[in-house]
Coordinates of all heavy atoms in Angstrom, one line a residue:
M1 N 98.9 43.4 90.4 CA 100.1 42.6 90.5 C 101.1 43.1 89.5 O 102.3 43.1 90.0 CB 99.7 41.2 90.1 CG 100.8 40.1 90.4 SD 101.1 40.0 92.2 CE 102.1 38.5 92.1
D2 N 100.8 43.6 88.4 CA 101.8 44.1 87.4 C 102.4 45.4 88.0 O 103.7 45.6 87.8 CB 101.2 44.4 86.1 CG 100.9 43.1 85.2 OD1 101.7 42.1 85.4 OD2 100.2 43.2 84.3
N3 N 101.8 46.2 88.6 CA 102.3 47.4 89.2 C 103.3 47.0 90.3 O 104.4 47.7 90.4 CB 101.2 48.3 89.7 CG 100.4 48.9 88.6 OD1 100.8 49.0 87.6 ND2 99.2 49.3 89.0
L4 N 103.0 46.1 91.1 CA 104.0 45.7 92.2 C 105.3 45.1 91.5 O 106.4 45.5 92.0 CB 103.3 44.6 93.0 CG 104.2 44.1 94.2 CD1 104.5 45.3 95.2 CD2 103.6 43.0 94.9
V5 N 105.2 44.3 90.5 CA 106.4 43.8 89.8 C 107.1 45.0 89.2 O 108.4 45.0 89.3 CB 106.1 42.8 88.7 CG1 107.1 42.4 87.9 CG2 105.4 41.5 89.4
M6 N 106.5 45.8 88.5 CA 107.2 47.0 87.9 C 107.9 47.9 89.0 O 109.0 48.3 88.8 CB 106.3 47.9 87.1 CG 105.5 47.2 86.0 SD 106.1 47.5 84.4 CE 106.1 49.3 84.3
V7 N 107.3 48.1 90.1 CA 107.9 48.9 91.2 C 109.1 48.2 91.7 O 110.2 48.8 92.0 CB 106.9 49.2 92.3 CG1 107.5 49.7 93.6 CG2 105.8 50.2 91.7
M8 N 109.0 46.8 91.9 CA 110.1 46.1 92.4 C 111.3 46.1 91.4 O 112.5 46.3 91.8 CB 109.7 44.7 92.8 CG 108.8 44.7 93.9 SD 108.2 42.9 94.3 CE 109.7 42.2 94.8
V9 N 111.1 45.9 90.1 CA 112.1 46.0 89.2 C 112.8 47.4 89.1 O 113.9 47.5 89.0 CB 111.5 45.6 87.7 CG1 112.5 45.9 86.7 CG2 111.2 44.1 87.8
A10 N 111.9 48.4 89.1 CA 112.5 49.8 89.2 C 113.4 50.0 90.3 O 114.4 50.6 90.3 CB 111.3 50.8 89.1
A11 N 112.9 49.5 91.6 CA 113.6 49.7 92.8 C 114.9 49.0 92.7 O 116.0 49.4 93.1 CB 112.9 49.1 93.9
A12 N 115.0 47.8 92.1 CA 116.3 47.0 91.9 C 117.2 47.8 91.0 O 118.4 47.9 91.3 CB 115.9 45.6 91.3
W13 N 116.7 48.2 89.8 CA 117.6 49.1 89.0 C 118.1 50.3 89.7 O 119.2 50.7 89.6 CB 116.8 49.4 87.7 CG 116.9 48.3 86.7 CD1 115.8 47.5 86.3 CD2 118.1 47.8 86.0 NE1 116.3 46.7 85.4 CE2 117.6 46.8 85.1 CE3 119.4 48.2 86.0 CZ2 118.4 46.1 84.4 CZ3 120.3 47.4 85.2 CH2 119.8 46.4 84.4
L14 N 117.2 50.9 90.5 CA 117.7 52.2 91.2 C 118.8 51.8 92.2 O 119.8 52.6 92.3 CB 116.5 52.7 91.8 CG 116.7 54.1 92.5 CD1 117.1 55.2 91.4 CD2 115.4 54.5 93.2
A15 N 118.7 50.6 92.9 CA 119.7 50.2 93.8 C 121.0 50.0 93.2 O 122.1 50.4 93.6 CB 119.2 49.0 94.6
I16 N 120.9 49.3 92.0 CA 122.1 49.0 91.2 C 122.8 50.2 90.7 O 124.1 50.4 90.9 CB 121.8 48.1 89.9 CG1 121.4 46.7 90.5 CG2 123.0 48.0 89.0 CD1 120.8 45.8 89.4
V17 N 122.1 51.2 90.2 CA 122.7 52.5 89.8 C 123.2 53.3 91.0 O 124.3 53.9 90.9 CB 121.5 53.3 88.9 CG1 122.1 54.8 88.7 CG2 121.2 52.6 87.6
G18 N 122.5 53.2 92.1 CA 123.0 53.9 93.3 C 124.3 53.3 93.7 O 125.2 54.0 94.1
M19 N 124.5 51.9 93.7 CA 125.8 51.3 94.1 C 126.9 51.8 93.1 O 128.0 52.0 93.5 CB 125.6 49.9 94.2 CG 124.8 49.4 95.5 SD 124.8 47.6 95.7 CE 123.7 47.1 94.4
L20 N 126.6 51.7 91.8 CA 127.6 52.2 90.9 C 128.1 53.6 91.0 O 129.3 53.9 91.0 CB 127.1 51.9 89.4 CG 127.0 50.5 89.1 CD1 126.3 50.4 87.6 CD2 128.3 49.9 88.9
V21 N 127.1 54.5 91.3 CA 127.4 55.9 91.5 C 128.3 56.1 92.8 O 129.2 56.9 92.8 CB 126.1 56.8 91.5 CG1 126.5 58.2 92.0 CG2 125.5 56.8 90.1
F22 N 127.8 55.4 93.8 CA 128.6 55.4 95.0 C 130.1 55.0 94.9 O 131.0 55.6 95.3 CB 127.9 54.6 96.1 CG 128.7 54.5 97.4 CD1 128.8 55.6 98.3 CD2 129.5 53.4 97.7 CE1 129.5 55.5 99.5 CE2 130.3 53.3 98.9 CZ 130.2 54.4 99.8
G23 N 130.2 53.9 94.1 CA 131.6 53.4 93.9 C 132.5 54.4 93.0 O 133.6 54.6 93.4
V24 N 131.9 55.0 92.0 CA 132.7 55.9 91.3 C 133.0 57.2 92.0 O 134.1 57.7 92.0 CB 131.8 56.3 90.0 CG1 132.3 57.5 89.2 CG2 131.7 55.1 89.1
V25 N 132.1 57.7 92.8 CA 132.3 58.8 93.6 C 133.4 58.6 94.8 O 134.2 59.5 94.9 CB 131.0 59.4 94.2 CG1 131.2 60.5 95.4 CG2 130.1 60.0 93.1
A26 N 133.3 57.5 95.4 CA 134.3 57.1 96.4 C 135.6 57.0 95.8 O 136.6 57.6 96.4 CB 133.8 55.7 97.0
R27 N 135.8 56.3 94.7 CA 137.1 56.4 94.0 C 137.6 57.7 93.6 O 138.7 58.1 93.7 CB 137.2 55.4 92.9 CG 137.1 54.0 93.2 CD 138.4 53.6 93.9 NE 138.4 52.2 94.2 CZ 139.5 51.5 94.4 NH1 140.7 52.1 94.4 NH2 139.4 50.2 94.7
W28 N 136.7 58.4 93.1 CA 137.0 59.8 92.6 C 137.6 60.7 93.7 O 138.6 61.4 93.6 CB 135.8 60.5 92.0 CG 136.1 61.7 91.3 CD1 136.3 62.9 92.0 CD2 136.1 62.1 89.9 NE1 136.6 63.9 91.0 CE2 136.4 63.4 89.7 CE3 136.0 61.3 88.8 CZ2 136.5 64.0 88.5 CZ3 136.0 61.9 87.5 CH2 136.4 63.2 87.3
R29 N 136.8 60.6 94.8 CA 137.2 61.4 96.0 C 138.6 60.9 96.6 O 139.4 61.7 97.1 CB 136.2 61.3 97.1 CG 134.9 62.0 96.8 CD 133.9 62.0 97.9 NE 134.5 62.7 99.1 CZ 134.1 62.5 100.3 NH1 133.2 61.5 100.6 NH2 134.6 63.1 101.2
M30 N 138.8 59.6 96.5 CA 140.1 59.0 97.0 C 141.2 59.6 96.2 O 142.3 59.9 96.6 CB 140.1 57.5 97.0 CG 141.3 56.8 97.5 SD 141.3 55.1 97.5 CE 141.6 54.8 95.7
M31 N 141.0 59.6 94.9 CA 142.1 60.1 94.0 C 142.3 61.6 94.1 O 143.5 62.2 94.2 CB 141.7 59.8 92.6 CG 142.0 58.4 92.2 SD 141.6 57.9 90.5 CE 142.3 59.2 89.5
L32 N 141.3 62.4 94.4 CA 141.5 63.8 94.5 C 142.1 64.2 95.9 O 142.8 65.1 95.9 CB 140.1 64.5 94.3 CG 139.5 64.5 92.8 CD1 138.2 65.2 92.9 CD2 140.5 65.2 91.9
R33 N 141.8 63.4 96.8 CA 142.3 63.7 98.2 C 143.8 63.5 98.3 O 144.5 64.1 99.1 CB 141.5 62.9 99.2 CG 141.9 63.1 100.6 CD 141.1 62.2 101.5 NE 141.2 60.7 101.0 CZ 140.2 59.9 101.1 NH1 139.1 60.2 101.7 NH2 140.3 58.7 100.6
D34 N 144.3 62.6 97.5 CA 145.8 62.2 97.6 C 146.6 63.0 96.7 O 146.6 62.9 95.5 CB 145.9 60.7 97.3 CG 147.3 60.2 97.4 OD1 148.0 60.8 98.2 OD2 147.6 59.1 96.9
D35 N 147.3 64.0 97.3 CA 148.2 64.8 96.5 C 149.6 64.5 96.4 O 150.4 65.2 95.8 CB 148.1 66.2 97.0 CG 146.7 66.8 96.8 OD1 146.0 66.4 95.9 OD2 146.4 67.8 97.5
G36 N 150.0 63.4 97.0 CA 151.4 63.1 97.1 C 152.0 62.4 95.9 O 151.3 62.1 94.9
R37 N 153.2 62.3 95.9 CA 153.8 61.5 94.8 C 153.5 60.0 94.8 O 153.5 59.4 95.8 CB 155.4 61.7 94.9 CG 156.2 61.1 93.8 CD 157.7 61.4 94.0 NE 158.5 60.6 93.3 CZ 159.1 61.0 92.2 NH1 159.0 62.2 91.7 NH2 159.8 60.2 91.5
L38 N 153.3 59.4 93.7 CA 153.0 58.0 93.6 C 154.2 57.2 93.9 O 155.3 57.4 93.5 CB 152.5 57.7 92.2 CG 151.1 58.3 91.8 CD1 150.8 57.9 90.4 CD2 150.0 57.8 92.7
P39 N 154.0 56.2 94.8 CA 155.1 55.3 95.1 C 155.7 54.5 94.0 O 156.8 54.0 94.1 CB 154.5 54.4 96.1 CG 153.2 54.9 96.6 CD 152.7 55.9 95.5
I40 N 155.0 54.5 92.8 CA 155.6 53.6 91.7 C 156.9 54.2 91.2 O 157.8 53.4 90.8 CB 154.5 53.6 90.5 CG1 155.0 52.5 89.4 CG2 154.3 54.9 89.9 CD1 154.0 52.2 88.5
F41 N 157.0 55.4 91.3 CA 158.3 56.1 90.9 C 159.5 55.7 91.8 O 160.6 55.3 91.3 CB 158.2 57.7 90.7 CG 157.0 58.0 89.8 CD1 155.9 58.6 90.4 CD2 157.2 57.7 88.5 CE1 155.0 59.0 89.4 CE2 156.2 58.2 87.7 CZ 155.1 58.7 88.1
G42 N 159.3 55.7 93.1 CA 160.2 55.2 94.0 C 160.4 53.6 93.9 O 161.6 53.2 94.0
M43 N 159.4 52.9 93.6 CA 159.6 51.4 93.4 C 160.5 51.2 92.2 O 161.3 50.3 92.3 CB 158.3 50.8 93.3 CG 157.4 50.9 94.5 SD 158.0 49.8 95.9 CE 157.1 48.4 95.5
L44 N 160.1 51.9 91.2 CA 161.0 51.7 90.0 C 162.5 52.1 90.2 O 163.4 51.4 89.8 CB 160.5 52.6 88.9 CG 159.1 52.3 88.2 CD1 158.6 53.4 87.3 CD2 159.4 50.9 87.5
A45 N 162.8 53.2 91.0 CA 164.1 53.6 91.2 C 164.7 52.6 92.1 O 166.0 52.2 91.9 CB 164.1 55.1 91.9
R46 N 164.1 52.1 93.1 CA 164.7 51.1 94.0 C 165.0 49.8 93.3 O 166.0 49.1 93.7 CB 163.7 50.9 95.2 CG 164.3 50.0 96.2 CD 163.6 49.9 97.5 NE 164.2 50.6 98.4 CZ 163.9 50.6 99.7 NH1 162.8 49.9 100.1 NH2 164.6 51.3 100.6
R47 N 164.3 49.5 92.2 CA 164.6 48.3 91.5 C 165.6 48.6 90.3 O 165.8 47.7 89.6 CB 163.3 47.7 90.9 CG 162.3 47.2 91.9 CD 161.0 46.8 91.4 NE 160.1 46.5 92.4 CZ 159.6 45.3 92.6 NH1 160.2 44.2 91.8 NH2 158.8 44.9 93.6
G48 N 166.0 49.7 90.2 CA 167.0 50.1 89.2 C 166.4 50.2 87.8 O 167.2 50.0 86.9
L49 N 165.1 50.5 87.7 CA 164.5 50.6 86.4 C 164.4 52.1 86.1 O 163.8 52.9 86.9 CB 163.1 49.9 86.5 CG 163.2 48.5 86.8 CD1 161.8 48.0 87.0 CD2 163.8 47.7 85.6
A50 N 164.8 52.5 84.9 CA 164.8 53.9 84.5 C 163.5 54.1 83.7 O 163.0 53.2 82.9 CB 165.9 54.2 83.7
L51 N 162.9 55.3 83.8 CA 161.7 55.6 83.0 C 162.0 55.6 81.5 O 161.1 55.3 80.7 CB 161.2 57.0 83.4 CG 160.6 57.0 84.8 CD1 160.3 58.5 85.1 CD2 159.4 56.1 84.9
E52 N 163.2 55.9 81.1 CA 163.5 55.9 79.7 C 163.4 54.5 79.1 O 163.0 54.3 78.0 CB 165.0 56.4 79.5 CG 165.2 57.8 79.9 CD 165.4 58.0 81.4 OE1 165.9 57.0 82.0 OE2 165.1 59.1 81.8
R53 N 163.6 53.5 79.9 CA 163.6 52.0 79.3 C 162.1 51.7 79.2 O 161.8 50.7 78.5 CB 164.3 51.1 80.3 CG 165.8 51.3 80.3 CD 166.4 50.2 81.1 NE 167.8 50.4 81.1 CZ 168.6 49.8 81.8 NH1 168.2 48.9 82.8 NH2 169.9 50.0 81.8
L54 N 161.2 52.3 80.0 CA 159.8 51.9 80.1 C 159.0 52.5 79.0 O 157.9 52.1 78.6 CB 159.1 52.3 81.3 CG 159.8 51.6 82.5 CD1 159.2 52.2 83.8 CD2 159.7 50.2 82.5
E55 N 159.6 53.5 78.2 CA 158.9 54.1 77.0 C 158.6 53.2 75.9 O 157.9 53.5 75.1 CB 159.7 55.3 76.7 CG 159.7 56.4 77.6 CD 160.5 57.6 77.2 OE1 161.1 57.6 76.1 OE2 160.6 58.6 77.9
R56 N 159.2 52.0 75.8 CA 158.9 51.1 74.8 C 157.5 50.5 75.0 O 157.0 50.1 74.0 CB 159.9 49.9 74.9 CG 161.3 50.3 74.6 CD 162.2 49.0 74.5 NE 163.4 49.4 75.3 CZ 164.0 48.5 75.9 NH1 163.7 47.2 76.0 NH2 165.1 48.8 76.6
S57 N 157.0 50.5 76.2 CA 155.6 50.0 76.4 C 154.8 51.1 77.1 O 154.5 50.9 78.3 CB 155.7 48.6 77.1 OG 156.3 48.9 78.4
P58 N 154.5 52.2 76.5 CA 153.7 53.2 77.2 C 152.3 52.8 77.7 O 151.9 53.3 78.7 CB 153.6 54.4 76.2 CG 153.8 53.7 74.9 CD 154.7 52.5 75.1
E59 N 151.7 51.8 77.1 CA 150.3 51.4 77.5 C 150.5 50.7 78.8 O 149.7 51.0 79.7 CB 149.7 50.5 76.4 CG 149.3 51.2 75.2 CD 150.6 51.3 74.2 OE1 151.6 50.5 74.4 OE2 150.5 51.9 73.2
S60 N 151.4 49.7 78.9 CA 151.5 49.0 80.2 C 152.0 50.0 81.2 O 151.6 49.9 82.4 CB 152.5 47.9 80.0 OG 153.8 48.3 79.7
Y61 N 152.8 51.0 81.0 CA 153.3 52.0 82.0 C 152.1 52.8 82.4 O 151.9 53.0 83.6 CB 154.3 52.8 81.4 CG 154.8 53.9 82.4 CD1 155.5 53.5 83.6 CD2 154.7 55.2 82.1 CE1 156.0 54.5 84.4 CE2 155.1 56.1 83.0 CZ 155.7 55.9 84.0 OH 156.2 56.7 85.0
A62 N 151.2 53.2 81.6 CA 150.0 54.0 82.0 C 149.1 53.2 82.8 O 148.5 53.6 83.8 CB 149.3 54.5 80.7
V63 N 149.0 51.8 82.5 CA 148.1 51.1 83.4 C 148.7 50.9 84.8 O 148.0 50.9 85.8 CB 147.9 49.6 82.6 CG1 147.2 48.6 83.6 CG2 147.1 49.8 81.4
A64 N 150.0 50.7 84.8 CA 150.7 50.6 86.1 C 150.6 51.9 87.0 O 150.3 51.7 88.2 CB 152.2 50.2 86.0
V65 N 150.7 53.0 86.3 CA 150.5 54.3 87.1 C 149.1 54.4 87.5 O 148.8 54.8 88.7 CB 150.9 55.5 86.1 CG1 150.5 56.7 86.8 CG2 152.3 55.4 86.0
R66 N 148.1 53.9 86.8 CA 146.7 54.0 87.1 C 146.5 53.1 88.3 O 145.8 53.4 89.3 CB 145.7 53.7 86.0 CG 144.3 53.9 86.4 CD 143.4 53.5 85.4 NE 143.5 51.9 85.4 CZ 143.2 51.2 84.3 NH1 142.9 51.7 83.1 NH2 143.4 49.9 84.3
R67 N 147.1 51.9 88.3 CA 146.9 51.0 89.4 C 147.4 51.5 90.7 O 146.8 51.4 91.7 CB 147.6 49.6 89.1 CG 146.8 48.6 88.5 CD 147.6 47.3 88.4 NE 147.4 46.6 87.1 CZ 148.3 46.3 86.3 NH1 149.6 46.6 86.6 NH2 148.1 45.8 85.1
C68 N 148.6 52.2 90.5 CA 149.2 52.8 91.7 C 148.4 53.9 92.3 O 148.2 54.1 93.4 CB 150.7 53.3 91.4 SG 151.5 53.9 92.8
A69 N 147.8 54.7 91.4 CA 146.9 55.9 91.8 C 145.6 55.4 92.5 O 145.2 56.0 93.4 CB 146.6 56.7 90.6
M70 N 145.2 54.2 92.1 CA 144.0 53.6 92.7 C 144.2 52.7 93.9 O 143.3 52.4 94.6 CB 143.1 52.9 91.6 CG 142.8 53.7 90.4 SD 141.6 54.9 90.9 CE 140.1 54.0 90.9
C71 N 145.5 52.4 94.1 CA 145.8 51.5 95.2 C 145.4 52.0 96.6 O 145.8 53.3 96.9 CB 147.3 51.1 95.2 SG 147.8 49.8 96.4
R72 N 144.9 51.2 97.5 CA 144.7 51.7 98.9 C 145.9 51.6 99.8 O 145.9 52.2 100.9 CB 143.5 50.9 99.5 CG 142.2 50.9 98.8 CD 141.3 50.1 99.4 NE 140.0 50.3 98.6 CZ 138.9 49.7 99.0 NH1 138.8 49.0 100.1 NH2 137.8 49.9 98.3
D73 N 146.9 51.0 99.3 CA 148.1 50.8 100.3 C 149.2 51.6 100.0 O 150.4 51.3 100.2 CB 148.5 49.3 100.1 CG 147.5 48.4 100.8 OD1 146.8 48.7 101.6 OD2 147.4 47.2 100.1
K74 N 149.0 52.8 99.4 CA 150.1 53.7 99.1 C 150.9 54.2 100.3 O 152.1 54.4 100.2 CB 149.6 54.9 98.3 CG 149.3 54.8 96.9 CD 148.8 56.0 96.2 CE 147.4 56.4 96.6 NZ 146.5 56.7 95.6
A75 N 150.2 54.3 101.5 CA 150.9 54.7 102.7 C 151.8 53.5 103.1 O 153.1 53.9 103.5 CB 150.0 54.9 103.8
L76 N 151.6 52.4 102.9 CA 152.4 51.3 103.3 C 153.6 51.2 102.4 O 154.8 51.0 102.8 CB 151.7 50.0 103.3 CG 150.6 49.8 104.3 CD1 149.8 48.4 104.1 CD2 151.2 49.8 105.6
C77 N 153.4 51.5 101.1 CA 154.5 51.6 100.1 C 155.4 52.7 100.5 O 156.7 52.5 100.4 CB 153.9 51.7 98.7 SG 153.8 50.3 97.7
G78 N 154.9 53.8 100.7 CA 155.7 54.9 101.2 C 156.5 54.7 102.4 O 157.7 55.1 102.4
A79 N 155.9 54.0 103.4 CA 156.7 53.7 104.6 C 157.9 52.7 104.3 O 159.0 52.9 104.8 CB 155.8 53.0 105.6
W80 N 157.7 51.8 103.3 CA 158.8 50.9 102.9 C 159.8 51.6 102.2 O 161.0 51.4 102.4 CB 158.1 49.8 102.1 CG 159.2 48.8 101.6 CD1 160.0 48.0 102.4 CD2 159.6 48.6 100.3 NE1 160.8 47.3 101.6 CE2 160.7 47.6 100.3 CE3 159.3 49.2 99.1 CZ2 161.3 47.2 99.1 CZ3 159.9 48.7 98.0 CH2 160.9 47.8 98.0
L81 N 159.4 52.6 101.3 CA 160.4 53.3 100.5 C 161.1 54.2 101.4 O 162.4 54.5 101.1 CB 159.7 54.1 99.4 CG 159.1 53.2 98.3 CD1 158.3 54.0 97.4 CD2 160.3 52.6 97.5
D82 N 160.6 54.9 102.5 CA 161.3 55.7 103.3 C 162.1 55.0 104.4 O 162.7 55.6 105.2 CB 160.2 56.6 104.1 CG 159.5 57.6 103.2 OD1 160.0 57.9 102.1 OD2 158.5 58.0 103.6
G83 N 162.0 53.7 104.5 CA 162.9 52.9 105.4 C 162.1 52.7 106.7 O 162.9 52.3 107.7
R84 N 160.9 53.1 106.8 CA 160.2 52.9 108.1 C 159.6 51.6 108.3 O 159.3 51.2 109.4 CB 159.1 54.0 108.3 CG 159.6 55.4 108.4 CD 158.4 56.3 108.3 NE 157.9 56.4 107.0 CZ 156.6 56.9 106.7 NH1 155.9 57.4 107.7 NH2 156.3 56.9 105.5
A85 N 159.6 50.8 107.3 CA 159.1 49.4 107.4 C 160.3 48.5 106.7 O 160.9 48.9 105.8 CB 157.8 49.2 106.5
A86 N 160.4 47.4 107.3 CA 161.5 46.5 106.9 C 161.3 45.9 105.6 O 162.2 45.6 104.8 CB 161.7 45.3 108.0
S87 N 160.2 45.5 105.3 CA 159.8 44.9 104.0 C 158.5 45.3 103.6 O 157.7 45.6 104.3 CB 160.0 43.4 104.1 OG 159.0 42.8 104.8
P88 N 158.2 45.4 102.3 CA 156.8 45.7 101.9 C 155.8 44.6 102.3 O 155.8 43.4 101.9 CB 156.9 45.7 100.3 CG 158.0 44.9 100.0 CD 158.9 45.0 101.1
A89 N 154.9 45.0 103.2 CA 154.0 44.1 103.9 C 152.7 44.0 103.1 O 151.7 43.9 103.6 CB 153.8 44.6 105.3
L90 N 152.8 44.2 101.8 CA 151.7 44.1 100.9 C 152.0 43.5 99.6 O 153.2 43.5 99.2 CB 151.1 45.5 100.7 CG 152.0 46.5 99.9 CD1 151.2 47.3 98.9 CD2 152.7 47.4 100.9
A91 N 151.0 43.0 98.9 CA 151.2 42.5 97.6 C 151.0 43.6 96.6 O 149.8 44.0 96.4 CB 150.4 41.3 97.4
C92 N 152.0 44.2 96.0 CA 151.8 45.3 95.1 C 151.1 44.8 93.8 O 151.5 43.8 93.2 CB 153.2 45.9 94.7 SG 153.1 47.3 93.6
P93 N 150.1 45.5 93.4 CA 149.3 45.1 92.3 C 150.2 45.3 91.0 O 149.8 44.8 89.9 CB 148.1 46.0 92.2 CG 148.4 47.2 93.1 CD 149.5 46.7 94.0
N94 N 151.3 45.9 91.0 CA 152.2 46.2 89.9 C 153.4 45.4 89.8 O 154.3 45.5 89.1 CB 152.6 47.6 89.9 CG 151.6 48.6 89.4 OD1 150.8 48.3 88.5 ND2 151.6 49.7 90.0
E95 N 153.4 44.3 90.8 CA 154.5 43.3 90.8 C 154.8 42.7 89.4 O 156.0 42.7 89.1 CB 154.3 42.2 91.8 CG 155.5 41.4 92.1 CD 156.6 42.2 92.7 OE1 156.4 43.2 93.4 OE2 157.8 41.8 92.4
A96 N 153.9 42.3 88.7 CA 154.1 41.7 87.4 C 154.6 42.7 86.4 O 155.5 42.4 85.7 CB 152.7 41.1 86.8
F97 N 154.2 43.9 86.6 CA 154.8 45.0 85.6 C 156.3 45.2 86.1 O 157.0 45.3 85.1 CB 154.0 46.4 86.0 CG 154.6 47.6 85.3 CD1 154.6 47.7 83.9 CD2 155.3 48.4 86.0 CE1 155.1 48.8 83.3 CE2 155.9 49.5 85.5 CZ 155.9 49.7 84.1
F98 N 156.7 45.2 87.3 CA 158.0 45.5 87.6 C 158.9 44.3 87.1 O 160.0 44.5 86.7 CB 158.2 45.5 89.2 CG 157.5 46.7 89.8 CD1 156.8 46.6 91.0 CD2 157.7 48.0 89.1 CE1 156.3 47.8 91.5 CE2 157.1 49.1 89.7 CZ 156.4 49.0 90.9
L99 N 158.4 43.0 87.4 CA 159.1 41.8 86.8 C 159.3 41.9 85.3 O 160.4 41.7 84.8 CB 158.4 40.6 87.3 CG 158.4 40.4 88.8 CD1 157.6 39.1 89.1 CD2 159.8 40.2 89.3
E100 N 158.2 42.2 84.7 CA 158.3 42.3 83.2 C 159.3 43.5 82.7 O 160.1 43.2 81.7 CB 156.9 42.6 82.6 CG 156.8 42.7 81.0 CD 155.5 43.1 80.6 OE1 154.5 42.7 81.2 OE2 155.4 43.9 79.5
A101 N 159.3 44.5 83.3 CA 160.2 45.7 83.0 C 161.6 45.3 83.3 O 162.5 45.7 82.6 CB 159.7 47.0 83.9
A102 N 161.9 44.6 84.4 CA 163.2 44.1 84.7 C 163.7 43.0 83.7 O 164.9 43.0 83.3 CB 163.2 43.5 86.1
A103 N 162.7 42.3 83.2 CA 163.2 41.3 82.2 C 163.6 42.0 80.9 O 164.4 41.6 80.2 CB 162.1 40.3 82.0
R104 N 162.9 43.0 80.5 CA 163.2 43.7 79.2 C 164.5 44.5 79.3 O 165.1 44.7 78.3 CB 162.1 44.7 78.9 CG 160.8 44.0 78.5 CD 159.8 45.1 78.1 NE 158.5 44.5 77.8 CZ 157.5 45.2 77.6 NH1 157.6 46.5 77.6 NH2 156.3 44.6 77.4
A105 N 164.8 45.0 80.6 CA 166.0 45.7 80.7 C 167.4 45.0 80.4 O 167.5 43.9 80.3 CB 166.1 46.4 82.1

C-alpha cells in the first residue's frame, strides 16, 4: 500500500512539474517568435506620452513593456494603431499604466 501511495504522489509531482515546464516553454516560444515592434510604443505616441517623461518611473515602464511583450493581443493592437480597426477591441493590460503616465504628465 505504501508503494502505491508513493507512486501516486510522485506521479502528481511529475504532472505539476510537466505543466510548469510546458507553460514556460510555450511563453518562451511565443516571445521568440514575435520579432515585430511592440505596440506599447505606438500606444504611448498616440496618447501623446513621451518616453522621456516615463523615465521617472523606470520600474513601472519595464513592467509595462514586459506585459506588452507577453500579451496575446498584439495583432489587434497593431491593427488599431494602423487604422485597420475602428477602436481597440480589447482590454489592454497596460491601461492603468497609460492612465498613470498621463496623470503624471
Side-chain angles (χ1 to χ4, degrees):
M1 186 71 165
D2 279 341
N3 288 339
L4 179 62
V5 171
M6 298 256 310
V7 167
M8 290 178 66
V9 168
W13 277 110
L14 188 61
I16 291 170
V17 169
M19 287 188 283
L20 288 173
V21 168
F22 174 78
V24 168
V25 168
R27 285 294 184 160
W28 187 288
R29 289 183 67 205
M30 183 180 74
M31 283 179 43
L32 289 178
R33 182 181 48 214
D34 187 18
D35 290 337
R37 183 177 163 104
L38 290 177
I40 190 170
F41 303 113
M43 297 287 275
L44 287 169
R46 183 168 254 193
R47 293 171 185 254
L49 299 170
L51 290 176
E52 296 81 26
R53 292 184 181 168
L54 300 176
E55 290 179 357
R56 290 183 230 151
S57 59
E59 294 85 13
S60 63
Y61 178 64
V63 170
V65 169
R66 186 188 68 210
R67 267 192 225 119
C68 186
M70 299 294 279
C71 184
R72 294 179 182 186
D73 295 325
K74 283 187 283 233
L76 294 174
C77 260
W80 179 67
L81 289 170
D82 292 343
R84 293 176 289 168
S87 65
L90 64 138
C92 181
N94 283 322
E95 188 64 32
F97 170 76
F98 294 137
L99 294 174
E100 179 184 326
R104 286 185 189 172

